[in-house]
Every structure is written in C-alpha cells, then in structure tokens.
Amino acid sequence: MTQQPVRFGLIGTGRIGQVHAATIAALPGATLSWIADPFIEGAKGVAARFGGTVTDNPEELIASGEIDAVLIASPTPTHVDLIAAAVRAGIPVLCEKPIDLDIERVNALRPLVAESGVPVALGFNRRFDPAFASARARVAAGEIGELEQLTIISRDPAAPPADYVKISGGIFRDMTIHDFDMARFFLDDIISVSATGTQTFDDGAREHGDFDTAVTTLRAASGAIVTIINSRHSAVGYDQRIEAFGAKGSLQVANAPTSLVSLSTADAVEAKPPYETFFLERYAEAYAEELREFVKLVRGEASTSPTFEDGRAALVLADAAQRSATEGVAVSVAL
Amino acid sequence: MTQQPVRFGLIGTGRIGQVHAATIAALPGATLSWIADPFIEGAKGVAARFGGTVTDNPEELIASGEIDAVLIASPTPTHVDLIAAAVRAGIPVLCEKPIDLDIERVNALRPLVAESGVPVALGFNRRFDPAFASARARVAAGEIGELEQLTIISRDPAAPPADYVKISGGIFRDMTIHDFDMARFFLDDIISVSATGTQTFDDGAREHGDFDTAVTTLRAASGAIVTIINSRHSAVGYDQRIEAFGAKGSLQVANAPTSLVSLSTADAVEAKPPYETFFLERYAEAYAEELREFVKLVRGEASTSPTFEDGRAALVLADAAQRSATEGVAVSVAL
Amino acid sequence: MTQQPVRFGLIGTGRIGQVHAATIAALPGATLSWIADPFIEGAKGVAARFGGTVTDNPEELIASGEIDAVLIASPTPTHVDLIAAAVRAGIPVLCEKPIDLDIERVNALRPLVAESGVPVALGFNRRFDPAFASARARVAAGEIGELEQLTIISRDPAAPPADYVKISGGIFRDMTIHDFDMARFFLDDIISVSATGTQTFDDGAREHGDFDTAVTTLRAASGAIVTIINSRHSAVGYDQRIEAFGAKGSLQVANAPTSLVSLSTADAVEAKPPYETFFLERYAEAYAEELREFVKLVRGEASTSPTFEDGRAALVLADAAQRSATEGVAVSVAL
Amino acid sequence: MTQQPVRFGLIGTGRIGQVHAATIAALPGATLSWIADPFIEGAKGVAARFGGTVTDNPEELIASGEIDAVLIASPTPTHVDLIAAAVRAGIPVLCEKPIDLDIERVNALRPLVAESGVPVALGFNRRFDPAFASARARVAAGEIGELEQLTIISRDPAAPPADYVKISGGIFRDMTIHDFDMARFFLDDIISVSATGTQTFDDGAREHGDFDTAVTTLRAASGAIVTIINSRHSAVGYDQRIEAFGAKGSLQVANAPTSLVSLSTADAVEAKPPYETFFLERYAEAYAEELREFVKLVRGEASTSPTFEDGRAALVLADAAQRSATEGVAVSVAL
C-alpha cells in the first residue's frame, strides 16, 4: 500500500511543537511540510532539523494548499482563531490542549466545528499512553466488573515559574485539565464536581491566587466517584498513577521506572532510581501513538478522538473545579 | 520488676470483646478479672476460656473494687453512660469507637471526663498498627519534609447486613471514623471537610439512605489536604493503604500480604494471593499493642492516646462529612 | 474433644531449646514436663518461665515415665545416643538437625530406628514455613507443570565465631544441610551433587579450612536441577528465597519484609527496611507449626515428617558436596 | 560538529542483520552503504528499506572502498574468514557472537587480529543494556562492596528447532555464551568452570545429545562465584535477570515489564502481563547503544569493547562447561 504521506503544517515551535516535529519526521506516513511561528527563528530551527517551508504567519501556512493537516502547538490564546481558520479551509486539526482558557470563546467556536464536519482532535496525549489505554480497555472488557472508583494521582515534578502561573488560568485549567480528560476517558457521565485547593509551598501560586495542591472529586451519574490528587511538585519525578476500582477488583497503572535495577543494603532494600522526569519522557510513546492515530484520522481510517467536545468538556470541569474550590460548594455540570 | 497485673473488667463480649479478652489473657502484665454482658451466656463463654467473674450488670463490675481498668466493648449506645460510670468510680477506661453516634451526648459527657482527670482512651486500634505508627513517626522525623497530602484508602471486604446499616449512623460515623482518626494522627489541625457519597452496589445503603462509596477531603490549617477513599466492599480483601506525601518524597503503607509466594505463568506474572481478610487479621498486632499501651497508661507510665477528645473530634468530622455529602457544601470545623 | 496434653521432655536449653520451650508452653495440646541440661542453671531458667521438673541427666528425663515425647535440642554430638535411648524407651522423638556430623554414626543408628517403629522426626523447621509449604503444595498441584529447576538462595546474616566454625562440620553440614532438605522436600530423587566453595571474607573459614561462600548443584533423576546459593553473611538480613521453575511458569518465595512501609525520595523510590534478622524471627511461625505437627504425630494423627531417613539423606548430600567442592568432581549419591 | 557519517557494510541479512540495518539507518552518525548476502534477495530487501549497494559477495563489499566499518551478521562458520578479510583490509569490524564454534579456528585467527591493530568488536549486546551496564557500574562504584556472588538467570522463551540444535554447538556455546560474557563483564578473573546439564523437555536436545537445562558455576580468582541458570524455555517470556551480591548488599536487575498495569482480583493481586517476548524486544535499546558505541570506536573516540579476546574467552568458558557437564569434573581455565 503506497499512500502519499500526510503533509503536516505545524504552528508553534516551542517545546511541545518541537516534540511533534520530531515525531512527524520519524513517522513513516507523515511529512513536515510547513512550519509557522511568529518567532521565525524557531520555525527555521525546526526546518533545519526536519525540513519544511517556514513562515511567520500561520495563515500563510493554512492557505498554502500544501498541507493535509494542521497541528496547532502555539500559545493557548491563539488556538480558537487557528482552529476556526483551519476548519474554514477544510483542513483537519490536531490542537494542543486547552482549546482556550475562556469557555465563552470555546462555546462561540463550537457551532462552526460541529457544522463543518472537519475533524478537530484535541491533544490529550495521555489517552494514547499504552498503560492508560490498556487499563481503560481492560475496564471496558469487564476485568474488574462495574467501575466504582477511579483514583488519579498526577503530580508535576516542579512548580512552573511565577510568570507562567500568572497566565496559566490556574491549576485546574492548566494541569488538572489532563486529569479531567482522563476521568472522562474512563467515565463519560460526570455530573458534579467538588474541589479543594491550597497553597502549601509555591510562592508563585500564593502571589497569583492559584493553588499548588488540589484534590478534586467528580461524581458520575452511575454513582462512580473519581478522585484527582494533584501537586505542582514531586521529589520522586513525574508522578502519574491511576487506580480503577470495580466490583470485582482493581487495575493499577504504576509510575514508569527509569531502570530495572534495584539496590538492597543494610539501610534499605529493593530501592529503585526515581521515576521518569516529566511528560516528554513519560509520554514519549503516547505522543507517537497520538500522531499515528491522527494520521489515520486524516486518511479517513479512524474517527476523531479525543474530540473538540472532549476538549470543551474538560474545560467545563476545570471551571467547575475552580468555582468549587473558591466557593466551597459542589458544582453540577451538564456536559 | 514484679508488678501486680492490671485487673481488667471487660464490658461486652461480642466479636471485638472476645478479641480483647484473648489479648488481655495473653498479656503478661494484665489479667481478666470481671466480665459483664446482659447476655450472660456471652460473659460465661469468655470466662470459661480466660477466667474472670461474670455478671449481667456492668455497674456491678464497676463497683466490684476488683478492677484497675475497664474495657468497654458493648454496643455504641451504652458507651456514654458506661464511661461516665467508670470515670465517676475513678477507673481508667479504654472504650471502643465511637463514643456515641450523637455529638450532643458526647458533648454532654465532655466536662465530666475533662474534670475528672481519669484517663479515657479511645479504641482507634489503627494508631497502634506497626506500619501506620512507623509511617507517622517517619513523617514526624522529617523523612519526607513538610507533609502536604495524605491519602487514605480504606475499603471493607463486604457491605454489612442491611439491618446493621440501618443503625450504623451512616458510613462516615461507622466506617470513615477510623480514617478521620488516622487523618488526625498525622495532621491535627483539620479545619474543613468536603465529602461525596454515592450508592453504587449495596441495597442496604439504598434502602436506608446511606452511601456505600464515599470520598472525603479534609483541609488542614497548614494547607495540607487529606483524601479518604472508602468503599463498603473490596474483592481483594481488606484494603488499607496510606500514602503520606511531602516536599521531599512520600511514605507508603501497602496492604498486608497473606503469603510470600508469587506465581508467574504465561497468563500473568508476580501474582500474589489476596490480602488479609478483615480487621481481626489485619490489625491483630495493633490490638495487642493497643492493650500494651493502655496497661502502661493505667500504670502511669504513658499518657492517654488516643483520648476522649480524639474520639469526639473524629465524630465531629464524621458529622461534617455527612452534612457535606448531603448538602453539597464544604463544612468548616473547629476541633 | 478433651485430650490429655502431650507431655514433653526437653533436652537442651540453649537458644533453640528455649524457643521450643516457649512454643510448647503456648501450644494448647502440649505441656512441658521435664527439662534436662547438664548445665542445670539453664534447665532451671526454662522451668522458672514455663514449668517442668529439671534434671542435669537426660537419661533421668527419659526414664521418668512422665513424658510422652522427647525434644532433643542439645549439642549435635549427643543426638545419636539420645535418639537411641528414647527409641529404646519407646518415646517419640523430635530431634534438631543434624542427626550427627558423622554419617557412620548415623548409619549405625539406622537399624534401631527403622526396626523400633518409634517415630523419630527431624527438626528441619523450614518445611513448616507457610510460604515454602505453600510453594511446594502448589508445585505438587501442577500450577507450574513439571518441576525443572529449583533455586534456593540461603544466606545467613553474619558468619559464626571462628570457634564455632571449627566444630561445625563445615558449611555444607552446618548450614547447607537445611537447603539439602528443602531440595528434597521438592525433589526426592537426587542422584548427583556438584559444589563449589570459596573463602571470600571470613577469617574463621580461612583459619579452619571451611568455605564462607558456596554454590551447590543437585541433579535429580528426572533431569531437574537444584541450585543452592549460600553465603555466611548478608547485609540485608537473613536471605531466604526459593524459585521453583517449571514447564508452565514459576513460583517464587520472597524474603520476609519487616514492614509494610516504603519510602520514595529523590534518591530512591519504593525503598523498604531490611528483611527479618535471622531464623528465630523468620521462622517463628514454622517452629510453632513444626510442634503442632509433631503433637499430632505423637497422638497418632499424622505420619512422621521429616523422618530420620530425611535427616540421614541431608547428611549424605552434605558429605557429597564437601567432597565435590574439595576434589572438583561431581559426586553420585544413592539415597 | 559536522562529521561524515560512518559508512557501514553489512554482511548477512537474516533476523539479526535486519535489526542492525534498521539501527544503522536510524543512527544520526551512520549510514548503510553496502549490503552483502549470498542470498541476494535478502540483501535487496534490506536495501529497499534502508538504501545501500547490494552484492552476493562479501569480499566485494570489503573491497569496495566505500565502507568505514563492517558489521558481520552472517552464519557463524563464516565469521573467522570475514574477520580476517576485513582486518587485512584495515576495516574495523563488529562481529556477531560467537567468533566460531571451534576454539582452534579462533586461536588461529588470534595473532592476525592482535598484530593488525584493527579494532574487532564482538556483538555481546547485553553489555550495552542500560540495566546491566548500570548494575556493573554501580558494583564498580562500590555500592555493594566487594563482589562475592553473581547470579545470572537466562532462559529463552522456547527451544529452537531440532535442526538448529544440531548445528548450534550445544547450549553452552550457543546460549550460555552470552552469560559467560556477562560473567566476565562483572568479573574478569575466572579460573574454573563447573557445569551440570540435563534433558528435561526438549526432543531436539535429546536427539542431538544437547542439554535443554543447565547450571554453570564459575569461580573467580578473588573467590567470587558466578552461577548461571539456563533453560531453553520459559513460559513467562524471556527471563533475563542478574543479582550481584556483595559484602554490603546486592544489586538486582529485574525482568523487563511489558506494561505498567497490574490487576488485583479475588483470585490474585498485583498480577502483571508476561515479560518481553525475546531478545529483539528485550534488548532493542542495547542494540542501538552497541552501534552508537561502535561508531565512536570507528571514529577513534572509544576503545574496543567487548574485544576479540572477550569473544575468545567466552568460547573457552563454553568449551570448559561442555567438558565439565559431560565428564563431571571442574575444569580449570586460563583466559
């Protein structure tokens, strides 16, 4: 089967944009055709490594007629307009999360996406992690019976700079949003959100009225309860665990080891090196799988997943969590 | 050092009363002197195994002049009056949890206990579990830095009979109360409670308006957050885990294995037998240590722990959780 | 069922004798009646704690007419004569391993034991360890198919004093003998022995021509191979592991943890405290089970296990290993 | 630093040859220039995927003047002549193990290699496995004190076809040879070999006088003992473990998990999917690292490792093991 490679236009060449560029370049069925970044040196750097035409104007990329798909990895405030432009041009989109920090802007874009029929996929990479995907499939296969509790532990290695905290939209929209999507990956009938947030160690969070520590509880219509435990720091490395608990047992996703070696001495036994540092290491395979699935989508061989609606739902949950943590009430949601 | 053994009066000879009787009998510094139970056959059965004078009237036991300590293991509604009687008689008390299901009755007893100076210890056995005690001591020793998050997973093997659910006071007062005390064992400055409860599998819970599944979040004045995850059933056996997360790392208490043997085949590797069945097996050592410590207390060699105030605080948290789960609000507490 | 308790005569009140005394005292169906030790203060000390008549003459104990069973825990050179005396008196024996360090003396005793019909059980306590017993039962039940390889790792916490090394009979007769019996517990058709021994750290071993490090390979008639890995020291505590490998998988017995708590920090994750210190801690339950089984044997409710023949076979294997390690040849055995 | 890529000539396009071709193609500093295979369709297939000029004559490849390095992945009997030809042409060689099954042919080649000064590296891929390399480095760093025992468990997933067994040179030369090299990776002063081999399940082994199960003991001059436990089959997948035991503790290399997910039910807890299937999966990273190191060697930036002498030493140990298992004697070696 000799298909033409899917020609990608990449918008945004920051850290995650570079990851996607490398992944596209390594993917047999894909090629990097255009690269846009207002910071043109960024685009040039990526082109030097992986090829592609550069521009400082994303609209030129979209209008080039030389791309089959657009990957939006630019700053969050640009996502809504870029999605709209790509959809209007009839070009399938893979957009990094979140769609936007403002649910009103997302809602305004919603009809265009829905009516266009153009695939818009959201970059919730964790759905493509082999371990999480396996756990979800095994829950669906009934290995643990009815799902009753889902516990997500998600801790970043270190708090972001105060400048970033300021514009991040807060921990729920910036960090927990991945966990909200993971919750919906397992349970799509969330009806209520309850959150507690505190400031325990991060000056940036204190300065900008954000939380560095948070626990969120989601209730599903089925009665299932999701617990999300977040911290902005973690001494042992990126802490990414899930436990799905059901009537017949549980499935657990452990942290990713960095070595098969353990040490036993008179002080301690079975000690292992710390876990993977952060998301680029922990989710390397997920990023590759995400793009493989997206290439299939562009080719009409797969359906969109996660969708624009999934992106919107995660933001709705984040908004609800923010309100719950601030006002001390459980917040109902209709997704 | 040839001390006289501490003479115990045991009130109540149900399941937990029998455990205590056996523990007292096996303890070098203790002896079982009197046993009271309105169901006199129960008392006689215990006396036949471990010795002691029997009565169907607890007041006779308290007034016997032949006991140095009273262990109250009778039904919850009797606790308040029995504590009061023992305190008035100047006899140190170890009382099973909870003090009562009604905080008003507990509050009414409070001044008497406080002013009497008679030690009243509460039977929160888990504080004496070697693993939990070690974890707490290591947190206190600074091994993980400032404690920021405490996660307690506590699932009973199977839901109790509907008849018991009816009089239990609800999951928070009946089951989570142990976890509230455990939370306070690590963090004594809880200021707010938020809980979510659902009915997912147990007809008894549905019938009597109780929850079979619950998640409770406690906020400490320090900013630390406690998460308590409960279920009334657990296919793998009694599920009793704790993770203490701090600035420098975490301490985890795993479930108690029932065997050192694991099986690896083409189907699955490193598979172990299910965990300990329930509390009598899991906390056998804790019950023994609890009594050893109580004997020291009676002898004036230790201070009271956990105290009547600890018992009251756990009930205050349970009441707050019940209200939070019912009304959908975070509830402030002043302990 | 009100049976008379089995009256024990205990010969020898050293470390292991005291363990047995305490176990007998705690066993519902057993009582300690006589205690013999030429070092009479030892016998008196035990009697003070657990009761019993004392003597400095074991023959008096055997002739007392007041014992139903004799437990021989005296020094190894006394075992053969004491077994003979007990057997002649028709009293069932539980004798600590080894029967003797000299196979000729064991062989000389063999006909008497065989012809007497008096039960003589050997104190290979590890057969009664719940984990090893479970692993063996599961092998027998076919969980791993045909047993092809058995790997026994057995390392003592620290080398014994040089004085003890001198009279120990060497590492194979003194330490590996337990592993030889464990090998035969799983595979009773051993036909050949090959051993390698070295001196790597212990001055006592060097001084007295013994080994501190040894690996022994046993070949069974079935083709199964046993590997025994020994060291006289182990920094992590008593190292006692087994892996049974078969056509369908493997069963592994892990070391006994001393805590359920693990620590994770930036230095290392999932680190646990060292293992149980030595045999008294690791095999506490095995010693109790050994006596429970022996009581059954005395009552005619169980068959002898392990037998005098098992004790002899282990010594034959030890002799073969000693010769193999010294001469560099595989040594055939006929058990 | 813009270096010219190292131009590889690949001889042999069987399974392992294809792995190397893919690795070379993916390596930034390397390119696949020539491919030789008498089975020319094999060479063409590789060239179609990764580029390169094809020939059915390895000598043409060596004489092409267009290669900087030769990678020999052809059948074992061709290795000696191909190494000789490459060395005479002054081209650095990476040759798959073993050099040859006949130590005489290896010895005959030895002077040429030694005097030429041309780097000849042997393809003992496991030295480049991150886990084994880390364990060895940590032993060298003193984390466990003096190394006293090394235990290597190495079991293939399934016995090879009887036809292969016939020409394999026997389990020690074909399979254990990797473990002999691993032993020498940790301990380079082996002086004696003792081996036991049996036929327990494989008809091919029985038919051709080979073993399917083997245990080998190596003694080092230091007194350290290596134990190698082999089986030609393993139900749980490729079984590749190492334990380095020293005076201060031990380092253990566990099997490579295929998933982070574990399942707990009423039947068994913490059960994981089987391990990596076989060497291509388990050692994928090792093969890549091996080539990266070899590229450095070709560029003069690294020294040869493992060397021709390492390859020869492993064969000497294999020959000694074969003799030991056959004759029942420990065999001294001078490496």
Side-chain angles (χ1 to χ4, degrees):
Chain A
M1 194 174 61
T2 53
Q3 291 178 301
Q4 293 295 319
V6 168
R7 298 167 302 169
F8 273 85
L10 171 69
I11 302 175
T13 59
R15 186 167 54 170
I16 192 66
Q18 292 179 41
V19 169
H20 287 307
T23 309
I24 292 167
L27 205 64
T31 187
L32 190 55
S33 293
W34 276 76
I35 303 151
D37 198 317
F39 173 64
I40 191 68
E41 293 307 318
K44 285 180 181 171
V46 168
R49 289 170 62 201
F50 307 110
T53 308
V54 304
T55 174
D56 62 359
N57 180 1
E59 293 184 23
E60 187 183 2
L61 176 153
I62 290 170
S64 69
E66 294 175 5
I67 62 172
D68 305 312
V70 62
L71 202 163
I72 301 174
S74 49
T76 298
T78 68
H79 289 181
V80 164
D81 290 344
L82 290 170
I83 292 173
V87 165
R88 286 194 186 102
I91 304 172
V93 174
L94 173 57
C95 181
E96 271 303 313
K97 65 91 214 172
I99 303 174
D100 198 275
L101 295 177
D102 181 351
I103 190 67
E104 294 308 322
R105 280 171 53 83
V106 175
N107 286 342
L109 177 60
R110 206 178 180 194
L112 173 64
V113 171
E115 289 156 20
S116 73
V118 177
V120 176
L122 258 288
F124 286 121
N125 55 297
R126 295 183 197 174
R127 289 199 184 207
F128 300 95
D129 175 67
F132 294 143
S134 165
R136 188 227 193 195
R138 294 173 72 176
V139 169
E143 291 193 31
I144 59 167
E146 199 67 30
L147 180 59
E148 294 172 0
Q149 297 188 326
L150 185 75
T151 305
I152 302 172
I153 295 178
S154 175
R155 296 177 179 127
D156 281 354
D163 284 356
Y164 178 83
V165 170
K166 185 179 180 180
I167 60 156
S168 68
I171 192 171
F172 297 112
R173 291 185 193 93
D174 179 60
M175 178 180 170
T176 321
I177 197 152
H178 274 295
D179 308 308
F180 290 131
D181 184 65
M182 185 54 60
R184 292 188 64 256
F185 188 44
F186 281 81
L187 286 164
D188 58 8
D189 59 341
I190 305 298
I191 56 171
S192 173
V193 180
S194 184
T196 302
T198 58
Q199 298 161 347
T200 65
F201 60 87
D202 180 41
D203 290 340
R206 273 196 202 90
E207 189 179 341
H208 298 294
D210 196 6
F211 307 117
D212 53 38
T213 298
V215 176
T216 308
T217 305
L218 309 178
R219 189 163 60 177
S222 66
I225 301 179
V226 182
T227 307
I228 302 169
I229 297 173
N230 292 131
S231 176
R232 282 288 200 183
H233 73 169
S234 167
V236 298
Y238 198 33
D239 194 359
Q240 297 280 294
R241 287 173 285 162
I242 284 187
E243 176 175 292
F245 170 85
K248 295 184 188 168
S250 64
L251 283 157
Q252 293 182 297
V253 180
N255 275 318
T258 49
S259 173
L260 300 174
V261 183
S262 63
L263 174 69
S264 295
T265 68
D267 293 325
V269 298
E270 303 170 30
K272 299 171 198 112
Y275 304 117
E276 290 290 3
T277 316
F278 205 6
F279 63 94
L280 295 185
E281 296 81 12
R282 171 65 184 82
Y283 291 120
E285 176 57 22
Y287 285 115
E289 180 64 14
E290 178 181 66
L291 269 179
R292 281 193 291 268
E293 276 300 303
F294 182 65
V295 164
K296 283 189 198 167
L297 167 66
V298 173
R299 288 194 164 137
E301 299 163 1
S303 56
T304 313
S305 172
T307 62
F308 179 89
E309 288 302 307
D310 291 324
R312 181 182 170 276
L315 186 59
V316 169
L317 293 174
D319 283 357
Q322 184 69 40
R323 197 186 135 210
S324 176
T326 309
E327 303 181 9
V329 291
V331 176
S332 297
V333 291
L335 299 176
Chain B
M1 194 173 60
T2 53
Q3 289 179 302
Q4 292 297 317
V6 169
R7 299 168 299 168
F8 273 84
L10 171 68
I11 303 174
T13 59
R15 186 166 54 173
I16 192 66
Q18 291 179 42
V19 169
H20 288 308
T23 308
I24 291 167
L27 206 64
T31 187
L32 189 56
S33 294
W34 276 75
I35 305 153
D37 198 316
F39 174 63
I40 191 69
E41 294 307 317
K44 286 179 181 171
V46 167
R49 290 169 61 202
F50 307 110
T53 307
V54 304
T55 174
D56 61 0
N57 180 2
E59 293 185 24
E60 187 183 0
L61 177 152
I62 289 170
S64 68
E66 294 174 7
I67 62 173
D68 305 312
V70 62
L71 201 163
I72 302 173
S74 49
T76 298
T78 68
H79 290 182
V80 163
D81 290 343
L82 291 170
I83 293 173
V87 165
R88 286 195 186 102
I91 304 172
V93 175
L94 172 57
C95 181
E96 271 302 313
K97 66 92 209 165
I99 303 175
D100 196 276
L101 295 176
D102 181 352
I103 189 69
E104 294 310 322
R105 280 170 56 80
V106 175
N107 286 342
L109 178 60
R110 204 179 182 192
L112 174 65
V113 172
E115 288 155 24
S116 72
V118 178
V120 176
L122 258 288
F124 286 122
N125 56 297
R126 297 183 195 170
R127 290 199 184 207
F128 300 94
D129 175 68
F132 295 143
S134 164
R136 188 225 193 195
R138 294 172 72 176
V139 169
E143 290 195 31
I144 59 167
E146 198 67 31
L147 181 58
E148 294 171 1
Q149 296 187 327
L150 184 74
T151 305
I152 301 172
I153 294 179
S154 175
R155 294 176 179 129
D156 281 353
D163 282 356
Y164 179 82
V165 170
K166 186 179 179 181
I167 59 156
S168 69
I171 192 170
F172 296 112
R173 290 185 193 93
D174 180 61
M175 179 181 169
T176 321
I177 197 152
H178 274 295
D179 308 307
F180 291 130
D181 185 65
M182 187 52 60
R184 292 187 64 256
F185 189 45
F186 281 82
L187 287 162
D188 58 6
D189 59 342
I190 306 299
I191 56 172
S192 172
V193 180
S194 183
T196 302
T198 58
Q199 298 160 348
T200 66
F201 60 87
D202 180 40
D203 289 339
R206 273 195 202 91
E207 190 179 339
H208 297 294
D210 196 5
F211 307 117
D212 54 38
T213 298
V215 176
T216 308
T217 305
L218 309 178
R219 190 162 61 178
S222 67
I225 300 179
V226 182
T227 306
I228 301 169
I229 296 174
N230 291 130
S231 176
R232 280 287 199 183
H233 72 170
S234 166
V236 299
Y238 199 33
D239 193 0
Q240 297 281 294
R241 287 172 284 162
I242 285 187
E243 176 175 294
F245 170 85
K248 294 183 186 169
S250 63
L251 282 157
Q252 293 182 298
V253 180
N255 274 318
T258 49
S259 173
L260 299 175
V261 183
S262 63
L263 174 68
S264 297
T265 68
D267 293 325
V269 299
E270 301 170 32
K272 297 168 201 116
Y275 303 116
E276 289 292 2
T277 315
F278 205 6
F279 62 96
L280 294 185
E281 297 81 14
R282 172 64 184 83
Y283 292 120
E285 176 58 22
Y287 285 113
E289 181 63 15
E290 180 182 64
L291 270 180
R292 280 192 291 268
E293 276 300 303
F294 182 65
V295 165
K296 284 191 198 165
L297 167 66
V298 174
R299 289 196 162 134
E301 299 163 1
S303 56
T304 313
S305 172
T307 62
F308 179 88
E309 288 301 308
D310 291 323
R312 181 184 171 274
L315 185 60
V316 169
L317 293 174
D319 284 355
Q322 184 69 39
R323 194 185 139 211
S324 177
T326 309
E327 302 180 10
V329 292
V331 175
S332 295
V333 291
L335 300 176
Chain C
M1 193 174 62
T2 53
Q3 290 178 300
Q4 292 297 318
V6 169
R7 298 167 302 168
F8 274 83
L10 171 68
I11 303 174
T13 58
R15 185 167 53 170
I16 191 67
Q18 292 179 41
V19 169
H20 287 308
T23 308
I24 291 166
L27 206 62
T31 187
L32 190 56
S33 295
W34 276 74
I35 305 153
D37 198 317
F39 173 64
I40 191 68
E41 293 306 319
K44 286 180 182 170
V46 167
R49 288 170 62 202
F50 306 110
T53 308
V54 304
T55 172
D56 62 359
N57 179 3
E59 294 185 22
E60 187 183 359
L61 177 152
I62 290 169
S64 68
E66 295 175 4
I67 62 173
D68 306 311
V70 64
L71 202 162
I72 302 174
S74 49
T76 299
T78 68
H79 290 182
V80 163
D81 291 343
L82 290 170
I83 292 172
V87 164
R88 286 195 186 102
I91 304 172
V93 175
L94 171 58
C95 181
E96 272 303 312
K97 64 92 209 171
I99 303 174
D100 197 275
L101 295 176
D102 181 351
I103 189 69
E104 295 309 323
R105 281 170 55 80
V106 175
N107 287 341
L109 177 59
R110 204 179 181 193
L112 174 64
V113 171
E115 290 155 21
S116 72
V118 177
V120 177
L122 258 288
F124 285 122
N125 56 296
R126 295 183 197 173
R127 291 199 183 207
F128 300 95
D129 175 67
F132 294 144
S134 165
R136 188 227 193 195
R138 294 173 72 175
V139 169
E143 290 193 31
I144 61 167
E146 199 66 30
L147 181 58
E148 295 173 1
Q149 296 188 327
L150 185 74
T151 305
I152 301 173
I153 295 178
S154 175
R155 296 176 178 129
D156 280 354
D163 283 356
Y164 179 83
V165 170
K166 185 179 181 181
I167 60 156
S168 69
I171 191 170
F172 297 113
R173 291 185 193 93
D174 179 61
M175 177 180 169
T176 321
I177 197 151
H178 273 295
D179 307 308
F180 291 131
D181 183 67
M182 186 52 61
R184 293 188 63 257
F185 188 45
F186 280 82
L187 288 163
D188 58 8
D189 61 340
I190 305 298
I191 57 174
S192 173
V193 180
S194 184
T196 302
T198 59
Q199 298 160 346
T200 66
F201 61 87
D202 180 41
D203 289 339
R206 274 196 201 88
E207 189 179 340
H208 298 293
D210 196 5
F211 307 117
D212 53 36
T213 298
V215 176
T216 308
T217 305
L218 310 178
R219 189 162 61 176
S222 66
I225 301 179
V226 182
T227 307
I228 301 169
I229 296 174
N230 292 131
S231 175
R232 280 288 199 183
H233 73 169
S234 167
V236 300
Y238 198 32
D239 193 0
Q240 297 282 292
R241 285 173 286 161
I242 285 188
E243 176 176 292
F245 170 84
K248 295 183 189 169
S250 63
L251 282 157
Q252 293 181 298
V253 181
N255 274 318
T258 48
S259 173
L260 300 175
V261 183
S262 63
L263 174 68
S264 296
T265 67
D267 293 326
V269 298
E270 302 171 30
K272 299 170 198 110
Y275 303 117
E276 289 291 3
T277 315
F278 205 5
F279 62 94
L280 294 186
E281 296 81 12
R282 172 65 184 81
Y283 292 121
E285 176 57 22
Y287 284 115
E289 180 64 15
E290 181 182 63
L291 269 180
R292 278 191 293 266
E293 277 300 301
F294 182 65
V295 165
K296 285 190 198 167
L297 167 65
V298 173
R299 291 196 161 134
E301 300 163 0
S303 56
T304 313
S305 173
T307 63
F308 179 89
E309 288 302 307
D310 291 323
R312 181 183 171 274
L315 185 60
V316 170
L317 293 174
D319 283 358
Q322 184 69 39
R323 195 185 138 212
S324 176
T326 309
E327 301 181 11
V329 293
V331 176
S332 296
V333 291
L335 299 177
Chain D
M1 191 175 61
T2 53
Q3 290 177 300
Q4 292 297 318
V6 169
R7 298 167 302 169
F8 273 85
L10 171 68
I11 302 175
T13 59
R15 186 167 53 172
I16 192 66
Q18 292 178 42
V19 169
H20 287 309
T23 308
I24 292 167
L27 207 62
T31 187
L32 188 56
S33 293
W34 276 74
I35 304 152
D37 199 317
F39 173 62
I40 191 68
E41 292 308 317
K44 284 179 181 171
V46 167
R49 287 170 62 201
F50 307 110
T53 307
V54 304
T55 173
D56 61 0
N57 182 1
E59 294 185 22
E60 187 182 359
L61 177 152
I62 290 169
S64 68
E66 295 174 7
I67 62 172
D68 305 313
V70 62
L71 200 163
I72 300 174
S74 49
T76 298
T78 68
H79 289 182
V80 163
D81 290 344
L82 290 170
I83 293 172
V87 164
R88 287 195 185 101
I91 305 173
V93 174
L94 172 58
C95 182
E96 271 303 313
K97 67 93 210 168
I99 303 174
D100 198 274
L101 295 176
D102 181 352
I103 190 67
E104 292 310 322
R105 281 171 54 81
V106 175
N107 287 342
L109 178 59
R110 204 178 181 194
L112 174 65
V113 171
E115 289 155 21
S116 72
V118 177
V120 176
L122 258 288
F124 286 121
N125 55 297
R126 295 184 196 172
R127 290 199 184 207
F128 300 96
D129 175 67
F132 294 143
S134 164
R136 187 226 194 195
R138 294 173 71 176
V139 169
E143 291 193 30
I144 60 168
E146 199 67 31
L147 180 59
E148 294 172 1
Q149 297 187 325
L150 185 74
T151 305
I152 301 173
I153 295 178
S154 174
R155 296 177 178 128
D156 281 354
D163 284 357
Y164 178 83
V165 170
K166 186 180 180 180
I167 61 158
S168 69
I171 192 171
F172 297 112
R173 291 183 192 94
D174 179 60
M175 180 180 167
T176 321
I177 197 152
H178 273 296
D179 307 309
F180 290 131
D181 184 65
M182 186 52 61
R184 293 188 62 257
F185 188 45
F186 281 82
L187 287 164
D188 59 7
D189 59 342
I190 306 298
I191 57 172
S192 173
V193 179
S194 183
T196 302
T198 58
Q199 298 158 347
T200 66
F201 61 87
D202 181 40
D203 289 339
R206 275 195 200 90
E207 191 179 340
H208 298 294
D210 196 4
F211 307 118
D212 54 36
T213 298
V215 175
T216 308
T217 305
L218 309 178
R219 190 162 60 178
S222 66
I225 301 179
V226 182
T227 307
I228 301 170
I229 296 174
N230 291 131
S231 176
R232 281 288 200 183
H233 73 170
S234 168
V236 299
Y238 199 33
D239 194 359
Q240 297 282 294
R241 286 173 286 162
I242 285 187
E243 176 174 293
F245 170 84
K248 294 184 189 169
S250 64
L251 282 157
Q252 293 181 297
V253 181
N255 274 317
T258 50
S259 174
L260 300 175
V261 183
S262 63
L263 175 69
S264 296
T265 68
D267 293 326
V269 299
E270 302 172 31
K272 298 168 199 116
Y275 304 117
E276 290 291 1
T277 315
F278 205 5
F279 63 94
L280 295 185
E281 295 81 12
R282 171 65 183 80
Y283 292 121
E285 176 58 21
Y287 284 114
E289 181 62 14
E290 180 182 65
L291 270 180
R292 281 192 290 268
E293 275 300 303
F294 182 64
V295 164
K296 284 190 197 165
L297 167 66
V298 174
R299 289 196 162 136
E301 299 162 1
S303 55
T304 312
S305 172
T307 63
F308 179 89
E309 286 302 308
D310 291 323
R312 180 183 172 276
L315 186 60
V316 169
L317 293 174
D319 284 357
Q322 184 69 40
R323 196 186 137 213
S324 175
T326 309
E327 302 181 9
V329 292
V331 176
S332 295
V333 292
L335 300 177

